[in-house]
Amino acid sequence: MSKQNIELLMIDLGNELGIDNLKLDEDACCCLSFDDIILHFEFDAAQNRLLCYSHLGDVPPFGQSDFYEMLLDANLFWKGTGGHTLSIDSKSKAVILVSQVDSNDTKLEQLTPMIGSFLDVSDIWRRKIVEFNNKTSL
């Protein structure tokens, strides 16, 4: 997928969302806010893919073993992630949901449902992280 294809896809997405001239910045990134979920887009030129990711919360200070097991279990065959991947940023201890678009001919008709699914899964996992933190802090 070329950067030019991604730029055209972002313009189409912007038109769909009512955002004029949506585009990647000089770092090949773009952010959109949907309610309280911030969705990041980043073009990875080395891998020719568009990364989509969102910060869902932080690793809790207590019960980390159970927390990591919950995330890993959800990632197994993507059964709890809708085809997206849960991960941890080891430096910041942030829980990140990640997906990628890596088809040369990805169209808006394929991207839009992926974004919808991504936002739904983000919302579910943000709530699960809060619930987990509430349980372990008692």
Side-chain angles (χ1 to χ4, degrees), residues 63-114:
Q64 290 181 352
S65 178
D66 290 338
F67 185 78
Y68 291 138
E69 183 177 336
M70 178 178 73
L71 297 181
L72 286 170
D73 184 57
N75 274 337
L76 179 64
F77 304 119
W78 306 276
K79 67 182 179 185
T81 64
H84 314 288
T85 303
L86 290 163
S87 56
I88 303 291
D89 179 331
S90 60
K91 289 183 183 178
S92 68
K93 299 297 184 195
V95 180
I96 309 292
L97 185 67
V98 181
S99 200
Q100 66 179 352
V101 177
D102 58 1
S103 172
N104 282 328
D105 58 357
T106 298
K107 303 287 185 227
L108 183 63
E109 295 78 22
Q110 293 134 348
L111 182 64
T112 302
M114 187 281 292

Side-chain angles (χ1 to χ4, degrees), residues 24-93:
L24 302 174
D25 65 14
E26 61 276 356
D27 295 321
C29 298
C30 175
C31 296
L32 294 174
S33 178
F34 297 89
D35 296 323
D36 60 345
I37 298 171
I38 298 174
L39 177 55
H40 300 262
F41 296 97
E42 182 176 331
F43 180 65
D44 177 3
Q47 299 294 320
N48 279 330
R49 63 185 175 181
L50 180 67
L51 299 173
C52 307
Y53 58 94
S54 184
H55 176 260
L56 304 178
D58 296 318
V59 173
F62 304 102
Q64 290 181 352
S65 178
D66 290 338
F67 185 78
Y68 291 138
E69 183 177 336
M70 178 178 73
L71 297 181
L72 286 170
D73 184 57
N75 274 337
L76 179 64
F77 304 119
W78 306 276
K79 67 182 179 185
T81 64
H84 314 288
T85 303
L86 290 163
S87 56
I88 303 291
D89 179 331
S90 60
K91 289 183 183 178
S92 68
K93 299 297 184 195

Side-chain angles (χ1 to χ4, degrees), residues 3-32:
K3 186 174 180 185
Q4 182 180 5
N5 290 349
I6 291 298
E7 289 171 342
L8 293 172
L9 187 59
M10 297 307 289
I11 289 170
D12 288 345
L13 178 61
N15 291 337
E16 179 80 10
L17 298 173
I19 301 170
D20 292 334
N21 205 20
L22 182 65
K23 61 183 178 178
L24 302 174
D25 65 14
E26 61 276 356
D27 295 321
C29 298
C30 175
C31 296
L32 294 174

